[in-house]
Amino acid sequence: MINKMTLASLAACTALVAGATTASATDVVEMGPRPYYLIDKMADGALKEKLLSCAAGPFKPTLFSIGHRGAAMQFPEHTKDSYLAAARMGAGIIECDVTFTKDKELVCRHAQNDLHTTTNILATDLAETCVQPFVPASGDTPAKAECRTSEITLAEFRTLTGKMDAANAAATTVEAYMDATAGWRTDLYAAEGGTLMTHAESIALFRDLGAKFTPELKSPAVKMPFDGFSQADYAQKMIDEYKAAGVPAEDVWPQSFNLEDVLYWIENEPAFGKQAVYLDDSYAIEGWDPMDPQTWTHAMTDLKDMGVNYIAPPMWVLVTVEDGEIVPSVYAKEAKAAGLNIITWTLERSGPLVTGGGWYYQSIADVTDSDGVMYELVDVLAQDVGIVGLFSDWPATVSYYANCMGLK
């Protein structure tokens, strides 16, 4: 039997086909089946009814929806293919994680030392540049490899193709090591390899797609300065590429886990520093507790006094469970009280939520037992915590919610 949601989805798809003139058309935002699947899994209630009421759209890009590495749930991360998919799903902001090559050119990779898991480098002649060549698993010793952008030139980087981020620790061959995509992801859109991009190329692409920018300056795997290239040089070069492209500062949210990078931008590039995002990883400190300010590295008011306007912890830090309901954490309340804008990460980064959702859902694991909880969490983050943006590996999920709730 075809229900009202199915009919609405078919109507939206028909409109999409009619409106799209080429495979690269981005003037029509499409949701695909996943948001509808998640809504179907929700417990009956007001939120489900509200989301059902929006099934027919129309949908448009929204700054609330941030493409985490593009659309990395199903496309090789930080590739042109992944970025295009994110834009087509309504991500108003798209992320390029920024690192550098041997010749100090900026490229989009999640880490300087992840080429062995995110590209085909181990299957190419460039495998000989890896700081840790592939070593097969033996007994209880896992397979290992480490390949860095800082060991190859930009020209060499361009010869690689992207793959789904994964490695098989039990592998005894390079082929098996590279063939490790999680069962809930897919290699369907990685079969021909994704097109890698420089940071400057990502700027041009995102602008053509009508999206805004959130580059993350990644922590180097090499000792800095690198051949005379200092951390400040690195932080400045990233901003300079936006200035060279004529991108206004208000369209860019530069990010870093390194507070010193954020403070550098605040002091030296104040127009860009105004929207600099501090990716708070204090959770990694032993004894740190989002419910206990006494364990925090910085008080929220201290960060605000430093000139920080945006803070971005992982989702679990912002929520807890009280009387069986998801509610804001003390961390979330303190950040909001201090006047900090809150962004969080990363929806769709875990597999199915049947068994609690894993690391990203750890503070609400007791009430996370179905994919239907996804939108319950998003609603609390948006309405109760008051976040201004949500990273997702599958932006359509967030774009659907934002459109339905009237979020820009």
Side-chain angles (χ1 to χ4, degrees), residues 232-284:
D233 293 334
Y234 180 29
Q236 186 63 52
K237 186 177 178 72
M238 190 181 85
I239 298 301
D240 286 346
E241 293 199 345
Y242 288 95
K243 295 166 72 174
V247 175
E250 58 264 29
D251 288 350
V252 185
W253 286 263
Q255 317 167 64
S256 181
F257 279 102
N258 181 0
L259 182 57
E260 294 305 313
D261 293 335
V262 174
L263 297 179
Y264 173 86
W265 293 322
I266 290 171
E267 180 178 354
N268 295 281
E269 290 288 351
F272 288 87
K274 184 178 180 180
Q275 293 189 159
V277 181
Y278 173 41
L279 297 163
D280 188 4
D281 61 354
S282 300
Y283 57 81

Side-chain angles (χ1 to χ4, degrees), residues 300-322:
M300 298 298 173
T301 51
D302 289 345
L303 290 172
K304 186 67 175 176
D305 289 344
M306 294 178 196
V308 176
N309 291 318
Y310 287 81
I311 193 166
M315 297 186 301
W316 67 266
V317 166
L318 295 173
V319 289
T320 188
V321 175
E322 291 181 1

Side-chain angles (χ1 to χ4, degrees), residues 131-341:
V131 296
Q132 171 58 70
F134 173 73
V135 176
S138 178
D140 294 333
T141 304
K144 58 183 177 180
E146 183 183 347
C147 308
R148 299 176 178 175
T149 59
S150 52
E151 296 298 315
I152 60 176
T153 65
L154 177 59
E156 291 170 327
F157 176 83
R158 290 186 186 280
T159 68
L160 301 176
T161 58
K163 74 176 193 68
M164 296 301 286
D165 182 15
N168 179 5
T172 57
T173 66
V174 165
E175 292 76 16
Y177 183 80
M178 296 174 63
D179 184 18
T181 302
W184 50 274
R185 294 185 184 270
T186 181
D187 288 315
L188 183 62
Y189 304 113
E192 297 186 30
T195 302
L196 304 190
M197 302 200 77
T198 67
H199 177 236
E201 288 169 344
S202 79
I203 294 173
L205 177 64
F206 299 172
R207 182 167 52 189
D208 288 346
L209 293 171
K212 297 183 189 288
F213 316 83
T214 186
E216 181 188 336
L217 196 74
K218 302 303 295 189
S219 297
V222 295
K223 185 178 180 180
M224 300 293 277
F226 174 77
D227 190 26
F229 189 56
S230 69
Q231 185 69 24
D233 293 334
Y234 180 29
Q236 186 63 52
K237 186 177 178 72
M238 190 181 85
I239 298 301
D240 286 346
E241 293 199 345
Y242 288 95
K243 295 166 72 174
V247 175
E250 58 264 29
D251 288 350
V252 185
W253 286 263
Q255 317 167 64
S256 181
F257 279 102
N258 181 0
L259 182 57
E260 294 305 313
D261 293 335
V262 174
L263 297 179
Y264 173 86
W265 293 322
I266 290 171
E267 180 178 354
N268 295 281
E269 290 288 351
F272 288 87
K274 184 178 180 180
Q275 293 189 159
V277 181
Y278 173 41
L279 297 163
D280 188 4
D281 61 354
S282 300
Y283 57 81
I285 300 172
E286 186 176 356
W288 186 89
D289 184 350
M291 301 299 289
D292 182 3
Q294 297 300 315
T295 68
W296 301 353
T297 306
H298 299 286
M300 298 298 173
T301 51
D302 289 345
L303 290 172
K304 186 67 175 176
D305 289 344
M306 294 178 196
V308 176
N309 291 318
Y310 287 81
I311 193 166
M315 297 186 301
W316 67 266
V317 166
L318 295 173
V319 289
T320 188
V321 175
E322 291 181 1
D323 299 323
E325 300 291 332
I326 302 172
V327 297
S329 67
V330 173
Y331 180 105
K333 294 175 182 177
E334 290 287 320
K336 190 171 183 178
L340 293 170
N341 296 295

Side-chain angles (χ1 to χ4, degrees), residues 341-386:
N341 296 295
I342 308 171
I343 296 171
T344 192
W345 42 277
T346 304
L347 205 71
E348 316 280 15
R349 192 69 188 160
S350 300
L353 303 187
V354 176
T355 56
W359 190 85
Y360 291 93
Y361 297 80
Q362 59 186 280
S363 63
I364 60 168
D366 290 347
V367 296
T368 303
D369 57 3
S370 164
D371 280 346
V373 175
M374 195 89 69
Y375 274 129
E376 293 179 25
L377 173 60
V378 173
D379 192 56
V380 172
L381 289 170
Q383 306 302 329
D384 300 331
V385 174

Side-chain angles (χ1 to χ4, degrees), residues 2 22 73 105 126 178 183 335:
I2 299 178
T22 71
M73 188 178 191
E105 296 297 329
L126 289 175
M178 296 174 63

